[in-house]
Amino acid sequence: MIRGLYIAEGAMITQQARMEILGHNLANQQTPGFKKDNGIQTSFGEWLLYARNTTGLPESPYPIGTMAHNVALSESYTSMRDGNLNNTGRSLDFAITGNGLFQVENEDGVLYTRNGHMFLNADGYLVDVEGRLILGENGPIQVIAPGREAFVDLERDIAVEPDGSILVLGEFVDRFDLVAFDPELNFTKVGDNYFEPFEAAVELDTVIVNRYLEGSNVDLAAEMVKMMEIRRNYEAAQKIMITYDGILNKAANELGSSG
Amino acid sequence: MFRSLSTNLSGILAYQQSLNNIANNISNVNTAGFRSSTVSFSDLIYRELRERRMHVSPIEGELEPQNGKGVRISSSTDSFVQGSLAQTQRDLDLAIQGDGFFRIIRPDGSFAYTRSGSFIMDPAGNILTVQGDSLDLPFSIADLTGAGEDAELPPGKLVVSSEGAAYWDNGDENPVYLGQIQLYKFVNTAGLLSENGLRYTETEVSGAAVEGLPGEDGFGVVRQRFIELSNANLAAEMVNMLISQRSLQSNIRALMTSDELWAYTLQVRS
């Protein structure tokens, strides 16, 4: 009989998890290249219910239908929709439109990122904000070769074509080695704007826009509405719990009293 | 419980910092040579919800639900976009049009770099910044004056060509050649350590300073009797302020909602 109490508890925990995911989205509404997560709810543990054997007939107990045992999060689905492009005017800001990700060198392999806010390191290589090397088709991209520091005016002499080719003083240096993702799939994020590597299985269809950054794809109004919904769901689950508490109170204290 | 409190707290702190930065840019829209800065954000680590005994039921073959822990400011980058030049008619106002920095020597002898070229001259003929650092020159105007503390400058004025050649114009037909003002630049200008957006010091990340002459490939030219204005863009800063303020507010709202959820939990047994 108190099965409902646990379902209400499950609902509260699930709304709490959704609130955490939503809170993370709100915290990252200005993170360049951030892709929002959606907590997807599912019912789980569907059980077939049987009527009690009260009739004594041979076919009983007989099934009367299914009922979900509880509620849970089935996935945190990352929406890969493009964010808005914001003009920054900075020569080392790159925005990707479409299904591409930059590749970044990591201690043991690569990471993928959508954040095109880049820098040069002291050796003239293109790096991300964490100082990790950005990969081009010929490995790390050396924008300024040693000894040429004096000749390149970063704000003026770097040009990037829509296909990701990097030109310095009109000379081809390298091309961004992008990875294509299938927006239908879900991806694992590891923080610092990185995605865990995966097998690329679809055609790359992107345009690189220089001097722009892709904003976060979090939609503030939509998240706020979702937050209201989470709050009311939580409140409803709480009411169910209070109701069960009342029922249990009656069972424990009133049913047994003679009087 | 209620980890979303700390998640949104990280958001509040980050957007507060972003507003501080915007306020600093706005305060300096009229500071000559000021370089505006922008902050950039990164998301924090992700954890699988299962680790925290949340109710999860992943779809067969799909990824485990995960959630992130908030946001942090990952960088604060000064913009080295050219500020507009304003004519001042002061002989000691030098603006750089294009790439490069003046090198200045701080009172302790260390080098720093600046684009704020509004200099002053002390009675001995040293060219100083308004903060009291001296401009690093391969020559000294003091040489003209001869020795002695009370020596006075000969009549005349400083003339600097766009290529940085400095002369002392004493009214004669041929001004006295003093020397060459040099400019300095860095592989990674963004890696310089900024002191108040005006004075910069070299770091490991910026790479070593590269010396060059004004007007050479990759270096800007010197414009005497001009100052470079702040490159903070008031309209852009106002838009940023508006957005950051709303971001801050929405994180506060989320924090309050988490608090309400907590209150609902406590009300179960009231």
Side-chain angles (χ1 to χ4, degrees), chain B:
Chain B
M1 212 193 154
F2 286 103
R3 301 279 178 97
S4 46
L5 288 170
S6 61
T7 303
N8 289 115
L9 179 63
S10 74
I12 290 169
L13 295 175
Y15 293 119
Q16 252 170 9
Q17 194 57 47
S18 163
L19 280 171
N20 289 347
N21 185 66
I22 292 163
N24 186 41
N25 289 340
I26 293 177
S27 313
N28 285 293
V29 283
N30 281 320
T31 308
F34 178 77
R35 308 286 87 183
S36 67
S37 61
T38 46
V39 295
S40 190
F41 305 91
S42 283
D43 50 357
L44 298 180
I45 54 157
Y46 289 76
R47 282 274 174 267
E48 285 178 0
L49 285 162
R50 182 186 294 280
E51 287 174 21
R52 297 194 21 238
R53 299 175 182 280
M54 289 299 211
H55 278 215
V56 290
S57 169
I59 304 161
E60 193 81 19
E62 291 285 332
L63 299 169
E64 281 272 343
Q66 52 168 197
N67 85 310
K69 302 296 182 198
V71 67
R72 70 184 170 93
I73 289 191
S74 53
S75 73
S76 165
T77 315
D78 284 10
S79 158
F80 290 95
V81 172
Q82 175 82 41
S84 44
L85 300 186
Q87 200 161 13
T88 63
Q89 302 299 356
R90 244 187 105 243
D91 291 332
L92 286 169
D93 281 341
L94 304 177
I96 301 170
Q97 188 175 10
D99 210 0
F101 290 86
F102 294 114
R103 183 154 79 179
I104 52 180
I105 306 171
R106 286 188 286 198
D108 65 359
S110 60
F111 291 130
Y113 300 86
T114 187
R115 281 178 70 93
S116 171
S118 200
F119 297 105
I120 48 177
M121 201 187 295
D122 69 4
N126 297 313
I127 298 179
L128 305 173
T129 68
V130 284
Q131 285 113 333
D133 308 321
S134 56
L135 180 63
D136 183 21
L137 297 170
F139 58 88
S140 168
I141 297 172
D143 294 346
L144 291 175
T145 66
E149 289 260 316
D150 324 311
E152 277 186 20
L153 283 175
K157 60 179 184 180
L158 184 72
V159 176
V160 180
S161 76
S162 61
E163 280 79 35
Y167 297 90
W168 188 261
D169 179 8
N170 50 13
D172 284 357
E173 232 170 77
N174 295 317
V176 183
Y177 176 71
L178 292 168
Q180 179 68 45
I181 295 176
Q182 276 159 329
L183 295 182
Y184 297 83
K185 59 190 284 184
F186 301 87
V187 176
N188 177 20
T189 319
L192 289 172
L193 183 67
S194 161
E195 301 170 36
N196 59 37
L198 288 173
R199 193 165 59 175
Y200 292 88
T201 45
E202 186 182 314
T203 66
E204 225 170 81
V205 190
S206 68
V210 181
E211 201 176 74
L213 300 177
E216 278 188 346
D217 275 354
F219 283 93
V221 292
V222 174
R223 294 260 177 256
Q224 195 186 14
R225 285 191 283 278
F226 279 89
I227 51 168
E228 185 185 4
L229 300 178
S230 166
N231 70 352
N233 178 338
L234 191 56
E237 296 300 335
M238 292 311 260
V239 171
N240 287 342
M241 182 171 77
L242 207 134
I243 295 170
S244 286
Q245 204 175 2
R246 296 304 177 204
S247 302
L248 176 66
Q249 284 171 343
S250 58
N251 274 278
I252 294 173
R253 190 59 65 186
L255 191 79
M256 286 161 69
T257 301
S258 295
D259 180 49
E260 278 170 18
L261 298 194
W262 201 331
Y264 283 136
T265 321
L266 295 175
Q267 282 161 16
V268 168
R269 204 78 188 97
S270 52

Side-chain angles (χ1 to χ4, degrees), chain A residues 90-131:
Chain A
R90 199 174 157 269
S91 62
L92 294 180
D93 281 345
F94 307 98
I96 306 179
T97 64
N99 66 346
L101 287 163
F102 293 110
Q103 289 195 66
V104 174
E105 199 178 74
N106 191 24
E107 295 81 45
D108 46 353
V110 291
L111 287 168
Y112 298 161
T113 185
R114 188 81 173 177
N115 182 359
H117 191 51
M118 296 179 190
F119 302 88
L120 292 184
N121 66 11
D123 302 322
Y125 284 95
L126 201 58
V127 293
D128 71 357
V129 66
E130 304 298 323

Side-chain angles (χ1 to χ4, degrees), chain A residues 154-179:
Chain A
L154 264 191
E155 289 302 333
R156 221 182 42 203
D157 298 335
I158 294 185
V160 174
E161 290 181 353
D163 69 348
S165 301
I166 303 166
L167 306 172
V168 178
L169 289 166
E171 271 174 54
F172 176 83
V173 172
D174 206 344
R175 190 165 163 235
F176 282 118
D177 191 13
L178 301 179
V179 174

Side-chain angles (χ1 to χ4, degrees), chain A residues 17-40:
Chain A
R18 281 183 71 200
M19 183 66 206
E20 285 182 14
I21 291 170
L22 180 133
H24 182 67
N25 287 343
L26 283 180
N28 284 289
Q29 57 189 292
Q30 283 191 41
T31 305
F34 180 78
K35 300 294 167 199
K36 68 178 173 186
D37 293 326
N38 293 301
I40 311 283

Side-chain angles (χ1 to χ4, degrees), chain A residues 4-16 229-247, chain B residues 1-2 259-270:
Chain A
L5 195 61
Y6 294 110
I7 296 176
E9 183 214 3
M12 285 168 98
I13 292 174
T14 305
Q15 295 311 318
Q16 196 187 319
E229 181 202 317
I230 290 171
R231 199 186 122 196
R232 293 304 174 194
N233 278 345
Y234 197 90
E235 191 180 4
Q238 181 237 30
K239 289 280 179 290
I240 293 169
M241 212 174 241
I242 290 174
T243 307
Y244 268 103
D245 186 45
I247 294 170
Chain B
M1 212 193 154
F2 286 103
D259 180 49
E260 278 170 18
L261 298 194
W262 201 331
Y264 283 136
T265 321
L266 295 175
Q267 282 161 16
V268 168
R269 204 78 188 97
S270 52

